[in-house]
Amino acid sequence: MNFYKAQDQARQRSRLLLVLFVLLNIGLVCLINLLFAWYLWVNDDPLSLPDRVFLDYLSWQRIFWVASAIALLLIFAAWLKWLDVKQGGGAVAEQLGGEQVLPLTADTAERRLVNVVEEMALAAGVPVPPVYVMRREQGINAFAAGLGISDAAICVTRGTLDSLDRDQLQGVIAHEFSHILNGDMRLNMRLLVMLHGMVFFAELGRVFASSRSSWWVDSTKSRSSNRGYLVLLGVGLMVVGWCGVMAGNMIKAAISRQREFLADASAVQFTRNPEGIGGALKVIGGSHVQGHLEHPECQEAGHLFFSAVMPSWLWSTHPPLDVRIRKVDPHWDGRYLQPQATLTETNANADEAIKANRPETRVIEGLLGTLAGAELMKDYHASEVAAGQQEDSLYQLARDPYDARVVLLGLLIDGDQAVRQQQLKLIAAEEQALVDRLLGCFEQFERLPRAEYLALIELTLPALKVQSASQYKAFKRLLLQVVQADQQIDLFEWVLYQLVSRYCDAHFGAVRSRQNRHKQIDSLADEYAVVISMLAYHGETSEDMTLKAFNRGAGVVGLYTLNIVSRSDCTRELFSAAVVELAAATPFLRQRMLKGMVQVVRHDGLIMPLERELMTAIAAVMESPLTGLDEGIEG
């Protein structure tokens, strides 16, 4: 499927959501104005103004002030929810009862989950997101949360781990990755924020209706009579608020249902195994708890989840299970499946091969490629068992929150002895233990093939997110000092720093603004020329082949008269600035440009390590999945 087109559709639905939200608020203002007018009318002294009628209490001035107060309260409620959401997908997962899974967890079922998420991230061309488990929930459910690829998180329930086999779990995770890539996740976050105000008004009405609101009573009136009217006002606000909640559910249902069908279809396309996602849905139907959850906040966030979090007969955010199953399995016999027994140690040990993820066996060829089921996955990881089981292998260290820092610093250590000593001195000033650990790993770094650098970087990212914010800030400062030790930044150092920054900053609260100000390729012609020139210079061995690769990339986006930037002018600084500017394009335009870059890299039929690294970092800066890079190409 075309995920960029899906992102544009999600953005259009965001505009529709805003229109519906405004209309819903107008209706809310009208109803609450009527309620307050009624309250003032029944509490007024009929002897002082005997001729006044109900409509006299609906003056334009009063309507304005009530509407202003409602708007401020809605904005305040949405702002409070936004403070939670903007912290990233991990924060949302924790608010819903999720607990982060360490990459080297000893729990066999959770280790299988981490392995599956790593596979999906590799296939999608995105870094591995943090993984969370709702350990107290036995319902079979999962969700993806976050505002973009860089701060996404995957969360599943314990019931999912205990009830699904590997193929079924893979189908569920593929479904959630689809939500990340096609823009649904960000849309779902906006729904959560915008509709939070409706719940707020319902709760406000409950407070008014309670006995604790007696301080509102006018002392000059009958306390019991006034309290009765106030209780009725509170009940009215509750009714209005919950009507708003129901209307919000209708909006969520109108937007979400088709997105669930799309994500199910994407999961099949992702894994090439309809029994995965189909089997998971059948198990949910056969479970006595289905996808139902106990956490009190899950109902409000129900549209985030893989399946319905509670029974619903009206305006469910999810299509019926049987309809979803028949979409992916038209020949279904109508019988649901019973949940499997808890994952056994034997099955987990068989699955352990997945932990290696070494690049020379990389046969997953992008999002539209070749995840062709369990057999393929066995072949994919069979040659990795020996290396993956070494206790102190770099691939094991990359998954550890402490040693992940060692791996990244080790990849930056310079070959020049003087620069290396300066780098080690900087690291020792921060923490001597890091230097000791590095010295113990030097031989492994020296033997490490250049083609494996990127895989190690990608594996460190989830582990880095386990650190505290202060630890991450200190490490990032040290990372920059080590990069600049030789007074210059080469392309690999730029790649490493960009991947760490783009995929970890948001997790620790550093949110970048998203701008889509470029809609036409002509406005980015100069920047695009710089980027594809850099890619061509680092992938081709002759000037003629370099120019052909450049022209191929220019033709993909329709810039047939574009001129290559000279090698001397194509500096790292100019390249970096150009990539940042390209990131300000619309999703559809970013797709075209990334396709053009991929064609430049693929021109000679061989992808060099630096080319792969550059493409990965460019996609990270542009917040876009990298697909199609390996199709029919030697790695």
Side-chain angles (χ1 to χ4, degrees):
M1 66 169 294
N2 190 323
F3 285 103
Y4 295 92
K5 184 177 181 180
Q7 287 180 17
D8 274 351
Q9 291 173 345
R11 191 162 280 104
Q12 292 172 6
R13 284 178 170 82
S14 294
R15 290 191 283 269
L16 173 62
L17 169 62
L18 184 59
V19 172
L20 293 174
F21 179 69
V22 170
L23 293 175
L24 187 57
N25 285 336
I26 291 173
L28 192 69
V29 167
C30 294
L31 290 174
I32 293 179
N33 265 293
L34 291 173
L35 273 175
F36 273 100
W38 170 84
Y39 181 71
L40 294 173
W41 180 48
V42 297
N43 275 278
D44 211 350
D45 186 355
L47 297 178
S48 60
L49 295 168
D51 297 330
R52 299 201 72 171
V53 295
F54 174 72
L55 292 178
D56 292 332
Y57 293 86
L58 285 173
S59 67
W60 286 111
Q61 184 179 17
R62 181 171 288 124
I63 290 174
F64 171 78
W65 286 112
V66 171
S68 299
I70 294 170
L72 288 174
L73 285 173
L74 285 170
I75 292 171
F76 177 70
W79 177 73
L80 289 178
K81 180 57 77 172
W82 171 248
L83 291 180
D84 294 336
V85 168
K86 78 170 187 175
Q87 297 178 49
V92 175
E94 289 174 357
Q95 290 159 18
L96 296 176
E99 300 174 41
Q100 187 166 4
V101 178
L102 297 177
L104 293 177
T105 177
D107 185 288
T108 53
E110 292 180 1
R111 188 162 67 242
R112 180 184 68 168
L113 170 64
V114 171
N115 293 337
V116 170
V117 171
E118 287 179 358
E119 293 168 13
M120 291 298 118
L122 180 63
V126 298
V128 182
V131 180
Y132 291 78
V133 172
M134 302 168 75
R135 295 192 172 102
R136 297 173 182 84
E137 300 286 359
Q138 292 306 308
I140 305 170
N141 230 319
F143 68 90
L147 295 173
I149 294 174
S150 61
D151 70 343
I154 297 288
C155 184
V156 307
T157 62
R158 186 68 205 189
T160 300
L161 298 183
D162 292 341
S163 302
L164 302 184
D165 65 25
R166 194 179 197 286
D167 283 351
Q168 293 161 356
L169 179 63
Q170 193 178 73
V172 171
I173 299 303
H175 174 104
E176 298 307 326
F177 264 90
S178 169
H179 284 314
I180 294 174
L181 297 173
N182 63 24
D184 290 345
M185 183 177 66
R186 186 176 180 86
L187 176 61
N188 287 338
M189 293 296 102
R190 289 175 174 172
L191 274 168
L192 191 63
V193 170
M194 288 184 173
L195 299 178
H196 182 66
M198 307 305 158
V199 178
F200 176 81
F201 268 100
E203 287 299 304
L204 184 64
R206 185 185 61 80
V207 171
F208 277 5
S210 70
S211 59
R212 292 192 297 265
S213 60
S214 60
W215 58 273
W216 279 79
V217 177
D218 184 354
S219 60
T220 63
K221 293 283 181 181
S222 165
R223 185 174 294 269
S224 61
S225 174
N226 244 8
R227 184 178 298 172
Y229 289 137
L230 190 60
V231 168
L232 289 175
L233 175 64
V235 170
L237 283 175
M238 287 177 63
V239 171
V240 170
W242 285 114
C243 284
V245 171
M246 292 177 66
N249 287 338
M250 292 175 64
I251 293 174
K252 288 193 287 188
I255 293 175
S256 298
R257 283 190 166 215
Q258 290 304 314
R259 310 306 292 179
E260 292 302 317
F261 284 131
L262 179 62
D264 288 345
S266 300
V268 175
Q269 192 173 28
F270 223 142
T271 62
R272 298 293 178 87
N273 181 18
E275 285 302 314
I277 183 74
L281 292 168
K282 294 170 189 175
V283 171
I284 292 173
S287 168
H288 70 281
V289 291
Q290 296 196 339
H292 303 159
L293 305 177
E294 300 294 331
H295 196 282
E297 294 191 29
C298 286
Q299 181 179 352
E300 183 182 355
H303 60 291
L304 302 182
F305 285 84
F306 176 74
S307 62
V309 300
M310 62 178 295
S312 179
W313 296 274
L314 290 175
W315 307 307
S316 173
T317 55
H318 293 73
L321 279 175
D322 59 336
V323 176
R324 291 176 68 181
I325 294 170
R326 293 192 188 281
K327 288 279 188 179
V328 297
D329 183 4
H331 304 295
W332 178 48
D333 60 8
R335 290 184 293 182
Y336 292 110
L337 301 177
Q338 292 300 310
Q340 69 162 31
T342 302
L343 182 70
T344 64
E345 188 71 29
T346 302
N347 289 336
N349 289 338
D351 191 69
E352 186 64 18
I354 293 162
K355 295 175 68 176
N357 276 341
R358 294 167 71 86
E360 62 262 36
T361 59
R362 184 176 294 183
V363 296
I364 300 177
E365 298 177 351
L367 188 58
L368 303 182
T370 60
L371 263 178
E375 289 304 316
L376 182 147
M377 295 313 303
K378 290 176 183 177
D379 293 340
Y380 170 53
H381 295 293
S383 63
E384 305 307 315
V385 179
Q389 295 301 316
Q390 296 176 18
E391 183 177 354
D392 291 324
S393 74
L394 293 180
Y395 284 87
Q396 293 287 346
L397 299 181
R399 291 177 166 88
D400 181 81
Y402 181 86
D403 287 329
R405 300 183 298 168
V406 175
V407 170
L408 291 175
L409 293 170
L411 292 175
L412 291 172
I413 296 300
D414 201 279
D416 182 89
Q417 187 65 27
V419 177
R420 176 181 296 187
Q421 290 303 317
Q422 177 63 20
Q423 290 175 322
L424 293 176
K425 183 178 178 181
L426 290 168
I427 298 170
E430 181 69 28
E431 188 175 345
Q432 180 61 42
L434 284 174
V435 175
D436 297 338
R437 196 72 167 133
L438 266 173
L439 293 175
C441 298
F442 263 167
E443 288 188 11
Q444 292 189 61
F445 282 112
E446 289 175 352
R447 295 195 306 267
L448 184 70
R450 181 68 173 79
E452 298 189 26
Y453 284 21
L454 180 60
L456 277 175
I457 296 172
E458 291 174 331
L459 286 178
T460 65
L461 301 180
L464 290 179
K465 294 180 179 181
V466 179
Q467 301 177 97
S468 67
S470 59
Q471 288 173 326
Y472 173 71
K473 186 177 181 180
F475 173 68
K476 192 178 174 187
R477 183 174 60 248
L478 173 62
L479 203 65
L480 187 59
Q481 291 173 348
V482 171
V483 166
Q484 296 175 333
D486 59 354
Q487 307 302 315
Q488 59 184 353
I489 301 176
D490 64 28
L491 285 174
F492 173 74
E493 292 169 335
W494 177 83
V495 165
L496 187 150
Y497 192 77
Q498 288 299 324
L499 290 177
V500 171
S501 298
R502 296 288 171 170
Y503 289 130
C504 294
D505 283 3
H507 181 78
F508 295 102
V511 180
R512 289 181 172 86
S513 60
R514 295 167 59 96
Q515 298 180 347
N516 298 316
R517 61 178 182 273
H518 297 294
K519 298 182 179 180
Q520 301 295 329
I521 187 61
D522 291 341
S523 63
L524 290 170
D526 292 341
E527 290 80 6
Y528 184 70
V530 170
V531 173
I532 62 173
S533 295
M534 181 70 79
L535 292 172
Y537 286 133
H538 285 85
E540 306 297 341
T541 56
S542 68
E543 291 299 321
D544 182 59
M545 290 291 288
T546 298
L547 185 58
K548 287 182 178 178
F550 175 88
N551 288 336
R552 187 172 180 177
V556 169
V557 298
L559 296 174
Y560 301 105
T561 61
L562 197 64
N563 294 318
I564 192 170
V565 179
S566 67
R567 193 182 293 268
S568 59
D569 291 337
C570 199
T571 63
R572 198 272 311 163
E573 292 80 6
L574 187 63
F575 168 77
S576 178
V579 173
V580 171
E581 193 62 26
L582 295 185
T586 61
F588 225 58
L589 187 52
R590 292 203 300 268
Q591 176 201 24
R592 290 179 62 195
M593 292 187 293
L594 278 173
K595 280 185 176 180
M597 296 175 202
V598 166
Q599 291 305 310
V600 174
V601 170
R602 288 166 50 89
H603 179 259
D604 60 357
L606 180 66
I607 300 176
M608 303 300 293
L610 183 57
E611 291 179 295
R612 186 183 299 278
E613 292 159 2
L614 287 173
M615 286 301 305
T616 303
I618 291 169
V621 175
M622 297 175 72
E623 296 190 35
S624 302
L626 180 60
T627 62
L629 188 61
D630 291 308
E631 294 176 3
I633 293 287
E634 295 183 38

